[in-house]
Amino acid sequence: MLGHPGRVMQLTPRGKPAHHARAAGFSLVELAVVLAVFGILLGQGLPTISDYLENAAVRRTAVDLHHAAVLARSEAIKRNVRTELRVAANSWEVMDVTAQPQTRLLAGTLDPRARAEVTTVAFASNGRTFPVGTERLFEVTNDGAACAASPRCMAVRVTSGGAARVCSPQKVAGTAGACT
């Protein structure tokens, strides 16, 4: 008998005390099973995560263009000049077109995972679009295709009054978030 007097200690077949019989931790088989399950779950979730990231890039680009349109309009009013918002595939700039030579007032880049329609919108010094009555729709997709052919599409609509808003060209007219 080992241990304290009055207490009986059980021994393993190898003669060690029972509380030392098994080491704490995970076996290699248990670790392999956990890693396999984790790999399967990760494989199932990757398409969803990539869809989310592509949708977020399109939305972020549309919001950036909305902010650029609001800035172009506010600069036209503040400076009492005509400005233009010029959009390239992955960048935008606000120009003072009454100055000679034309002066860049603001510029920015867009998310490289999204493509914006290359276009221009001008704002008069009163904040309305120029020429009077002009409306613009900036389409943004993840693949550069037209909105009708792209599952991911957002747009920025600039009205003749100069107001800009983010909308979805694929929604039915008259519903919330539609461009018309």
Side-chain angles (χ1 to χ4, degrees):
M1 185 157 84
L2 299 172
H4 301 294
R7 267 181 106 180
V8 177
M9 183 179 284
Q10 294 182 345
L11 299 176
T12 64
R14 294 188 180 169
K16 295 183 180 177
H19 66 276
H20 293 297
R22 183 169 178 187
F26 300 105
S27 71
L28 190 57
V29 172
E30 291 169 331
L31 185 61
V33 168
V34 168
L35 288 176
V37 169
F38 180 72
I40 291 169
L41 292 175
L42 184 64
Q44 295 295 320
L46 281 180
T48 305
I49 292 169
S50 67
D51 284 349
Y52 170 78
L53 292 175
E54 287 183 22
N55 289 339
V58 169
R59 177 162 282 289
R60 186 173 28 260
T61 299
V63 168
D64 287 348
L65 285 179
H66 173 261
H67 290 189
V70 170
L71 285 170
R73 180 176 189 248
S74 67
E75 287 295 318
I77 295 169
K78 178 175 81 173
R79 296 171 185 264
N80 198 29
V81 297
R82 196 173 81 219
T83 60
E84 282 186 359
L85 169 60
R86 299 175 181 170
V87 179
N90 284 323
S91 65
W92 59 269
E93 63 183 2
V94 175
M95 302 291 290
D96 176 352
V97 295
T98 55
Q100 293 302 325
Q102 294 182 358
T103 307
R104 179 189 291 171
L105 302 175
L106 303 162
T109 57
L110 302 172
D111 193 311
R113 292 172 291 188
R115 296 280 180 260
E117 180 181 3
V118 177
T119 191
T120 301
V121 63
F123 294 93
S125 61
N126 62 2
R128 295 181 178 271
T129 57
F130 183 86
V132 176
T134 305
E135 292 196 4
R136 287 283 188 266
L137 189 70
F138 298 92
E139 292 184 346
V140 180
T141 62
N142 67 323
D143 54 9
C147 273
S150 177
R152 291 177 187 87
C153 179
M154 294 297 294
V156 176
R157 181 173 184 244
V158 180
T159 65
S160 60
R165 68 184 183 96
V166 176
C167 58
S168 175
Q170 297 170 333
K171 290 195 174 185
V172 177
T175 61
C179 289
T180 54

